[in-house]
Amino acid sequence: MTSNRQLALHATLPERYDRFDLLASTIDHAGRLLALLVDPAQDEASDLPWRRQGPWSPPIPRFDATAVICDGDDVHEIPLHGLNQWFSEIDALGEGVILGAPRIPLADYGRAEHQSTPATEVPLIRNVQAFGGDGNPLGAFYAGDGIEQLLTDPSGRIWISYFDEASYRFVDSDGMWSCSSMPGLARWDDRRPNVENRPLAPWYRRRNHQPKGTLVMSTSISDLDRLVGTWRVSGGADGTTTYAWLDGRAFLSQRVDMDRDGHHITGLEIIGHERPFDGETSEAVTSRFYSSDGETLDYEYELDGDVLTIWGGRKGSPAYCRTTFSADGNTLSGAWVWPGGGYEATMTRVGG
């Protein structure tokens, strides 16, 4: 005999959001309420598909939304700007959120006439997008058409289930499209690098199928806030380095004072997103280091969870420094690597 149990309301949105359109909602793995809300008073609202009377077709006009995270009485809003897909899936990812659009244009990729189409002629729409706690885009990827549900787990892995008409497009070795139908369940994971230190491709439970898609997360300059402070450097080099924000927090500076192989080096590095005269801000976080020897050295920063990689030149270079933050965030341990050489290095925080 089972005992009677009464259902209790777990969480509700504050009344001030009553006038908003609700696109997506969930309870995350920490028990928090997440909701994606659209203000119907914005100019584009009348043309949005969920507010139209009658049929509609892509493209969807760009619109603004707010992701709301409710943890008891604590309410955090994340402003999201320029969305152009019908996102009906939401979950937490780190300090921010991840959104999923179940249906995308050209959903019938599996039709025979598309099978002979070169992959370069049909770009795939990135229908899963991640945003930081400040609303800045972190990354996006194509996750296939026909998403049934999207959720994340405490390890930061992204799980996506699909309904029975779903499809996933991938590129064959001959450069032509191929299609997998009814993929079932996929796991996307950017936190467990494989032997080549690249993100894992999605894992498919059905037939253990693993297509060539990957989740690529870009680093935002705000992610590097955990570097701010003074660090003692030991190992193959000895000295101190200090990271500090410049006014406006758009750029981070690093001032270096250290010895290596009997040679004393000082210098200044400026780190941030490039934004030239055309006004387009780069996705990558890059830097230039000005040394006391007169060198100007360029780098690219990549932060993946607790793993910080500083690439010499651009991402993928054979010269890089890869270090890992300790649990308390006060130690970075790893090594510099380049063809024919390298050295181990440890940075220990000594000042805020």
Side-chain angles (χ1 to χ4, degrees):
M1 182 177 179
T2 60
S3 59
N4 293 327
R5 295 183 180 181
Q6 293 185 344
L7 295 177
L9 185 64
H10 179 77
T12 58
L13 281 170
E15 292 183 359
R16 64 178 179 271
Y17 299 114
D18 285 353
R19 67 182 181 85
F20 286 73
D21 290 341
L22 176 67
L23 266 66
S25 64
T26 193
I27 302 295
D28 73 357
H29 56 78
R32 302 176 302 175
L33 169 65
L34 277 73
L36 181 63
L37 305 174
V38 176
D39 186 348
Q42 62 183 291
D43 293 339
E44 299 86 354
S46 60
D47 292 326
L48 295 175
W50 54 89
R51 297 195 66 83
R52 288 178 61 89
Q53 299 293 325
W56 68 275
S57 60
I60 295 175
R62 291 189 178 273
F63 63 96
D64 296 336
T66 303
V68 178
I69 303 177
C70 300
D71 187 4
D73 294 331
D74 183 24
V75 178
H76 176 56
E77 292 186 354
I78 302 176
L80 305 176
H81 301 290
L83 302 182
N84 64 347
Q85 296 185 62
W86 191 339
F87 293 107
S88 60
E89 295 294 322
I90 185 173
D91 209 338
L93 187 66
E95 297 298 321
V97 296
I98 190 162
L99 307 179
R103 305 308 305 261
I104 55 178
L106 293 180
D108 54 348
Y109 276 147
R111 295 187 301 170
E113 56 264 42
H114 289 298
Q115 297 292 347
S116 59
T117 303
T120 55
E121 294 183 8
V122 184
L124 296 176
I125 293 176
R126 298 183 176 188
N127 57 323
V128 173
Q129 299 181 13
F131 300 85
D134 54 3
N136 286 326
L138 298 180
F141 65 99
Y142 165 75
D145 177 66
I147 294 175
E148 180 74 28
Q149 187 176 17
L150 177 151
L151 59 84
T152 61
D153 64 24
S155 298
R157 295 173 296 190
I158 302 163
W159 296 82
I160 297 178
S161 63
Y162 298 83
F163 54 76
D164 58 2
E165 296 180 0
S167 63
Y168 185 92
R169 295 290 294 184
F170 59 94
V171 183
D172 270 339
S173 58
D174 61 0
M176 300 295 183
W177 285 120
S178 286
C179 181
S180 173
S181 60
M182 299 175 61
L185 177 67
R187 185 185 71 196
W188 303 80
D189 185 354
D190 71 321
R191 298 183 182 276
R192 292 186 179 182
N194 61 19
V195 293
E196 296 179 344
N197 293 310
R198 296 177 180 176
L200 287 175
W203 166 81
Y204 270 63
R205 183 165 63 178
R206 181 178 178 270
R207 299 179 184 174
N208 198 29
H209 181 63
Q210 184 168 304
K212 296 180 181 179
T214 56
L215 167 58
V216 180
M217 301 292 288
S218 59
T219 299
S220 169
I221 185 61
S222 61
D223 297 334
L224 301 183
D225 184 67
R226 58 201 302 187
L227 288 173
V228 171
T230 299
W231 302 76
R232 176 72 180 177
V233 181
S234 59
D238 185 74
T240 60
T241 185
T242 299
Y243 288 89
W245 287 110
L246 300 184
D247 289 347
R249 294 175 66 91
F251 295 95
L252 193 65
S253 69
Q254 180 187 196
R255 295 186 180 274
V256 172
D257 186 350
M258 65 180 65
D259 296 282
R260 182 174 178 272
D261 294 336
H263 183 61
H264 185 65
I265 303 171
T266 62
L268 169 67
E269 182 181 22
I270 303 298
I271 309 161
H273 296 280
E274 296 178 359
R275 190 168 69 183
F277 288 111
D278 63 11
E280 292 293 327
T281 301
S282 67
E283 290 188 7
V285 175
T286 57
S287 72
R288 173 161 288 184
F289 178 74
Y290 304 88
S291 79
S292 53
D293 293 335
E295 296 176 311
T296 57
L297 306 176
D298 294 335
Y299 299 94
E300 181 171 334
Y301 279 68
E302 180 186 13
L303 184 61
D304 183 6
D306 291 328
V307 179
L308 174 66
T309 303
I310 305 174
W311 301 95
R314 288 295 187 177
K315 182 177 178 179
S317 165
Y320 59 88
C321 175
R322 179 165 292 131
T323 54
T324 302
F325 280 95
S326 60
D328 61 6
N330 291 325
T331 304
L332 271 167
S333 302
W336 270 101
V337 177
W338 59 81
Y343 63 88
E344 293 185 355
T346 299
M347 291 173 48
T348 305
R349 193 187 302 273
V350 294

